[in-house]
Amino acid sequence: MNDRPDARDLLEIARHAFTAEILPAVPEPLRYTALMVANAMAIAQRELAAGDSPLREEYRRLAGLLSQNPAAPDGSALRDGVESYNRRLANEIRAGRFDGEKRAAVLEHLRRTTEEKLAISNPKALVPG
Amino acid sequence: MTLDEDSTRRRLAGFVARASSARDAVIVTLERMSGGAVQENWALDVELDGKLRHWVLRTDATATVRESLTRAQEFAVLKVAHAAKVLSPEPLFLCDDPAVTGQLFFIMERLPGVAAGHRITRDAKLVPDGARLARELAANLARLHRITPAHAGLEFLPTMRARDCIAHYRGYLDTLSHPYPALEWGLRWCELNAPQREDTTFIHRDYRTGNYLVDEGRLAGVLDWEFSAFGNPLEDIGWMCARCWRFARPDLTVGGIAGVEDFVPEYEQMSGRRITPGDLQYWQVMAHLRWAIIALQQLERHLSGTQRSLELALTGHLVGQIELEILNLTGAP
């Protein structure tokens, strides 16, 4: 076990120090880069906070769409499982297997997945307008 | 690139004198201009037989995107566009001798004005009448679309109609290790809704806010011709109307400066082409697919280690937003 605090806490306090103390003093030519640094840290923080629950949800939905067993594996098998189901989904969409009666279901899944991604990448994009 | 070294400047002055048949050419200013991840633009002021000229020298940046035209091709395109009275910088001299600066380049007239999208869409002093600017952009685009594939000297341009675009973007997705089901959804939608027949004209493929100069509120000229091709003219309209080019004004569909009603009727009148809401929707979806592909290409440069960069890395996190836009545009029951 590593010494405390953990990655999540360290990232949070480092970002706080960066935005509260360093960002205001950053000269104009470096401001864009500094804002990108703060943004990257915020994305990483949100990803750590979310844990693997969005990935589990995605797995469950993908398994449903592809008529597979919905019990999600743990650890790295979960990530690999989602990746491989997404590959299958991508191929089936291209082949037209979601053109017909499964259209609404796949749209609903894609929308949920995109919204979950945006909750981490860019929560502001979820606000309409 | 080290254009500002003394020896390079001397060779450049020699080239300019020869190319313009001047007795004497003195380089007064040579400064890198902002922007241009793909190409480098240098502001070049030259005293030619005692008369000061304001030019731009355009050359390849180190990180070149493989899909764009060469400088010689871009020079040829610009010559045709300028001759067709499309507002654009006049191309002056092409240098295909790498001994001059180490790379191929061309020199064009430097137009006045501002191109930066965040300023054009925010500052009412720069654009006091967005509707008028939109009409000028529409009329200019209609002139550009009068150039046809039969035009001599443009044989090197690729042809990218709707189905060519779909095949091309799918081909790129197939090279990636990560799947993108939402983009596949958009591509399938474009396939199912592809136009039965398409006009094929010269198209710019990057005609959008950020790529044209506005001077005293008027359109001064269109820049960055390196992606031009033959294809469906509606692609340029979809690109101009895509959300990514609205900058500070996401509520203004046409490049963050005006509504569709200020752009489309003028384009229809000048081109004789009809644009239905369905056409606009279709080509906006295609525009977002293309934007997503470009974002993924930039991300790959970071992930592959070709060019490790925070900016490129964050580009990967734009993809979700683009996918949401695609789903919104295609998701009607």
Side-chain angles (χ1 to χ4, degrees), chain A residues 32-33 36-37 39-40 43 83 86-87 89-90 93-94 96 98-99 103 106-107 110-111 114 117-118 121-122 125 129, chain B residues 170 174 176-179 181-182 184-185 188-189 191-192 243 310-311 314 317 320-321 323-324 327-328 330-333:
Chain A
Y32 181 59
T33 306
M36 288 196 297
V37 169
N39 186 26
I43 294 171
E83 187 88 358
N86 268 323
R87 172 72 60 196
L89 180 65
I93 289 171
R94 191 184 292 192
F98 286 92
D99 292 348
R103 184 178 189 274
V106 79
L107 259 173
L110 293 172
R111 184 174 286 279
T114 304
K117 272 205 304 200
L118 284 172
S121 286
N122 183 3
Chain B
R170 280 177 172 165
D174 287 342
L176 301 178
S177 58
H178 189 78
E184 291 290 347
W185 171 263
R188 177 67 181 160
W189 185 90
E191 186 172 49
L192 290 173
R243 187 171 274 266
L310 177 57
E311 187 168 24
L314 286 171
H317 280 266
Q321 255 171 284
E323 288 173 335
L324 186 64
L327 294 172
N328 286 339
T330 60

Side-chain angles (χ1 to χ4, degrees), chain B residues 251-266:
Chain B
D251 55 316
L252 295 175
T253 304
V254 182
I257 57 157
V260 169
E261 68 283 0
D262 296 315
F263 182 82
V264 168
E266 179 78 4

Side-chain angles (χ1 to χ4, degrees), chain A residues 32 36, chain B residues 37-38 63 65 294-319:
Chain A
Y32 181 59
M36 288 196 297
Chain B
V38 182
V65 171
I294 291 170
L296 290 175
Q297 285 169 338
Q298 294 188 339
L299 169 65
E300 273 313 296
R301 272 161 55 199
H302 169 76
L303 293 177
S304 66
T306 309
Q307 190 188 353
R308 297 283 293 170
S309 138
L310 177 57
E311 187 168 24
L312 295 177
L314 286 171
T315 304
H317 280 266
L318 287 176
V319 174

Side-chain angles (χ1 to χ4, degrees), chain B residues 260-275:
Chain B
V260 169
E261 68 283 0
D262 296 315
F263 182 82
V264 168
E266 179 78 4
Y267 178 85
E268 289 183 325
Q269 197 191 334
M270 301 303 285
S271 68
R273 230 170 249 118
R274 296 285 303 158
I275 301 174

